[in-house]
Amino acid sequence: MDDGGINKELKQKLNFSYCEEEGEHEGQEEARENSEAQSQTPDKSQVQETEAKCTPPRPSLSSTHEVSTFQETDTMSPNQGLRTPVSHSRKCPETPAQPDSRSKPLHCESPFTPKRCVLRETNMASRYEKEFLEVEKIGVGEFGTVYKCIKRLDGCVYAIKRSMKPFAGSSNESLALHEVYAHAVLGHHPHVVRYYSAWAEDDHMIIQNEYCNGGSLQAAISENTKSGDHFQEPKLKDILLQISLGLKYIHNSGMVHLDIKPSNIFICHKMQSDSPVAPEEIENEADWFLSANVIYKIGDLGHVTSINEPKVEEGDSRFLANEILHEDYRHLPKADIFALGLTIAVAAGAESLPSNGAMWHHIREGNLPDLPQELSEEFCILLKNMIHPDPRERPSAAALARSRVLRPSLGKAEELQHQLNLEKFKTATLERELREAQQACSPQEEHGDPGVSGTPTGPRSTKRLVGGKSAKSSSFTCGKSSP
Ligand code: 809
């Protein structure tokens, strides 16, 4: 969606930054500083010279406040996203000819003094600033602020959340760590937003995740609402199936999400540049997504907890199952199923869900909210089951993932497999009966006599029993049938 090619300005920024990152040392800062102060690009020889002076980067100091020189707060077009790593030249050939004059230090008459000054400040820049180029703000909420960023080193785009660090020892502190622990425990799955790194700096917690280029499902629903549209049944089933696969993975890992809702589902559009995957390359369920053009992923693991030793932090009350409100945590995975059922109802065009009140209870009695479209009966039943008042009656994520309603082709394949197995069984039975009959009419074999040495006895007797067609099967030999 917004992952077009990298534009020149961004390339320049990245490459420029790369020099900086590769050598967080005085020489390079001097080169950068020169360019900033004097609007003069360090020529190639300058850059090479500073590279030659490379020293290992100093560890970032944690208690820093940003120095304007390194703040990249310009609002940039969302089209500047990248997907594949940009190849960097160590010589930084694309160092901008006209460096950004907005970040010019104030007093730069002497080329020396200000350099020292900026150097000190630069070394105090946060890891976030040093390692990432902030492209744009993509979300603000109680959870913190999320930015689309490019990592200078690999040129890839990430979603980075910066939130205020909770006070040490507070209950919020352990909750803040939930998210990181959850990602660490969960590992990778195509339908769970991938986590890359997390750290604390100043008074912020930072988490670096996979960037999903299609925005959130909530954003897509809002777009639909604006145009009086809603997702149609095939798309709804696709979303439900993909998120069920993600939930199945989370639940099988002994965890529950507890905040499933449209704004925590993220969309990845396949890029044109992504190499197509031939169907024969897809060997199992986990790989099917390789052929999909749109991938839905579960994100925001801030409420994730363990099924067996839950520390429950209630999610959004609009999607909250009744039993969770009543602190009944015996069937936690089914609370995710409940929330997913309502998520699909919202994607189908249900009016905004109530946070409390009579309608809230009406839905918890097993009634789907009104939908502006007619869904198939089987799909309606499935959705209704997902919000069943009794959590035990709701389907598990695994059951959804193999549901014939969501995967009709799986039903066809299963049916054909079943028929094939039946035919194989019939053939095996016939072969056994045939062998028994052949043995019965071949007294020599029956008594362990191999017959005339070197003369195959089988085909003769086989012919007598099953006729000419028998030659087609290697099993149709008398006595010693091949397996
Ligand atoms: O793409 C995202 N990955 C995230 O983890 C994430 C993402 C987004 C997006 C998609 C942009 O096309 C929009 N918002 C508001 C996001 C938030 C997150 C996110 C949520 C992060 Cl980075 C951490 C925790 C919760």
Side-chain angles (χ1 to χ4, degrees):
M1 209 157 99
D2 61 353
D3 279 54
I6 174 169
N7 77 5
K8 204 173 163 199
E9 188 193 354
L10 193 55
K11 248 185 191 168
Q12 287 171 338
K13 283 192 180 202
L14 275 168
N15 281 325
F16 197 70
S17 310
Y18 180 72
C19 291
E20 190 186 289
E21 180 164 282
E22 279 295 282
E24 285 165 29
H25 50 76
E26 296 186 14
Q28 278 203 328
E29 296 311 334
E30 281 168 18
R32 180 186 171 110
E33 178 54 19
N34 269 343
S35 67
E36 283 169 345
Q38 307 299 332
S39 296
Q40 281 185 6
T41 315
D43 65 21
K44 205 173 173 189
S45 61
Q46 269 179 293
V47 177
Q48 282 171 333
E49 190 190 322
T50 56
E51 278 190 348
K53 286 193 257 171
C54 260
T55 53
R58 292 183 200 180
S60 62
L61 302 177
S62 58
S63 60
T64 58
H65 280 291
E66 282 73 35
V67 177
S68 62
T69 321
F70 278 82
Q71 259 179 341
E72 298 282 358
T73 51
D74 331 4
T75 318
M76 299 170 79
S77 149
N79 296 334
Q80 290 165 339
L82 296 170
R83 181 96 188 282
T84 43
V86 175
S87 62
H88 301 285
S89 156
R90 287 191 60 82
K91 301 285 181 236
C92 298
E94 293 197 56
T95 305
Q98 288 297 320
D100 192 346
S101 57
R102 285 164 294 185
S103 49
K104 210 196 287 186
L106 290 174
H107 306 291
C108 301
E109 289 87 359
S110 153
F112 298 104
T113 323
K115 280 182 219 164
R116 296 287 151 209
C117 167
V118 172
L119 170 68
R120 229 184 307 118
E121 289 169 347
T122 302
N123 283 339
M124 289 169 72
S126 70
R127 172 175 164 186
Y128 174 71
E129 288 174 307
K130 277 198 289 188
E131 293 189 5
F132 297 91
L133 175 66
E134 200 173 275
V135 178
E136 59 170 334
K137 198 185 271 187
I138 53 178
V140 194
E142 29 140 4
F143 53 81
T145 308
V146 181
Y147 299 90
K148 174 180 176 178
C149 294
I150 296 171
K151 186 168 163 120
R152 299 174 198 274
L153 193 63
D154 61 20
C156 290
V157 183
Y158 298 91
I160 296 193
K161 184 180 80 170
R162 301 184 82 201
S163 47
M164 293 309 287
K165 200 159 81 180
F167 294 115
S170 70
S171 63
N172 279 355
E173 191 190 35
S174 69
L175 277 174
L177 293 173
H178 264 189
E179 187 175 0
V180 175
Y181 292 157
H183 276 293
V185 169
L186 282 174
H188 307 159
H189 188 272
H191 299 293
V192 177
V193 170
R194 190 162 168 180
Y195 152 86
Y196 287 90
S197 186
W199 66 96
E201 60 186 31
D202 317 335
D203 43 3
H204 285 102
M205 293 279 292
I206 299 192
I207 185 160
Q208 174 198 352
N209 282 349
E210 169 186 10
Y211 175 73
C212 303
N213 60 3
S216 71
L217 180 61
Q218 180 55 58
I221 293 170
S222 303
E223 281 300 308
N224 279 346
T225 312
K226 265 192 233 159
S227 54
D229 204 359
H230 41 251
F231 287 116
Q232 303 298 306
E233 186 162 325
K235 178 57 91 187
L236 295 169
K237 286 178 173 173
D238 184 23
I239 301 170
L240 178 52
L241 174 62
Q242 295 200 28
I243 300 303
S244 298
L245 288 167
L247 276 184
K248 179 179 154 190
Y249 177 76
I250 294 176
H251 296 168
N252 284 347
S253 310
M255 318 283 271
V256 277
H257 186 279
L258 294 190
D259 201 19
I260 293 290
K261 57 179 176 177
S263 55
N264 286 338
I265 292 174
F266 299 103
I267 305 172
C268 289
H269 291 289
K270 191 176 231 168
M271 307 298 294
Q272 273 187 331
S273 55
D274 292 344
S275 52
V277 178
E280 58 271 19
E281 284 177 54
I282 297 156
E283 285 170 2
N284 56 45
E285 180 187 272
D287 288 343
W288 83 273
F289 74 95
L290 291 171
S291 66
N293 286 325
V294 185
I295 301 174
Y296 299 91
K297 300 185 181 232
I298 300 169
D300 195 345
L301 306 193
H303 290 251
V304 167
T305 192
S306 119
I307 295 174
N308 293 329
E309 287 175 63
K311 289 200 177 80
V312 175
E313 174 76 1
E314 279 172 20
D316 191 321
S317 71
R318 292 170 301 166
F319 298 86
L320 192 68
N322 204 23
E323 70 271 10
I324 304 300
L325 188 70
H326 292 100
E327 299 186 8
D328 174 357
Y329 304 145
R330 287 172 298 167
H331 309 284
L332 279 179
K334 299 298 183 73
D336 283 343
I337 301 297
F338 179 88
L340 180 55
L342 287 185
T343 296
I344 300 298
V346 171
E351 297 239 324
S352 56
L353 297 176
S355 309
N356 50 39
M359 192 56 194
W360 190 94
H361 287 282
H362 183 67
I363 293 171
R364 270 80 196 161
E365 281 157 17
N367 302 298
L368 277 174
D370 288 341
L371 301 179
Q373 61 175 315
E374 187 104 5
L375 297 174
S376 69
E377 197 186 351
E378 56 172 16
F379 191 43
C380 250
I381 293 172
L382 185 73
L383 292 180
K384 233 171 139 29
N385 279 340
M386 290 177 72
I387 60 157
H388 199 286
D390 182 349
R392 288 163 301 184
E393 294 297 318
R394 297 175 204 150
S396 66
L400 286 170
R402 60 170 184 266
S403 156
R404 297 261 171 102
V405 178
L406 303 181
R407 303 180 91 169
S409 58
L410 192 70
K412 185 77 192 151
E414 265 178 8
E415 197 183 301
L416 288 171
Q417 184 70 54
H418 184 69
Q419 275 176 20
L420 185 63
N421 289 345
L422 211 66
E423 291 305 319
K424 279 183 180 170
F425 179 74
K426 279 188 206 161
T427 308
T429 309
L430 281 171
E431 283 179 353
R432 187 171 38 78
E433 283 172 8
L434 177 61
R435 276 198 304 276
E436 283 166 8
Q438 286 170 335
Q439 278 174 354
C441 70
S442 170
Q444 280 179 327
E445 289 241 333
E446 207 176 326
H447 297 110
D449 187 339
V452 180
S453 170
T455 308
T457 54
R460 192 164 41 92
S461 47
T462 301
K463 258 184 200 156
R464 219 175 35 225
L465 278 163
V466 293
K469 283 183 190 164
S470 64
K472 282 188 182 167
S473 168
S474 58
S475 304
F476 289 171
T477 53
C478 199
K480 291 168 196 157
S481 62
S482 54

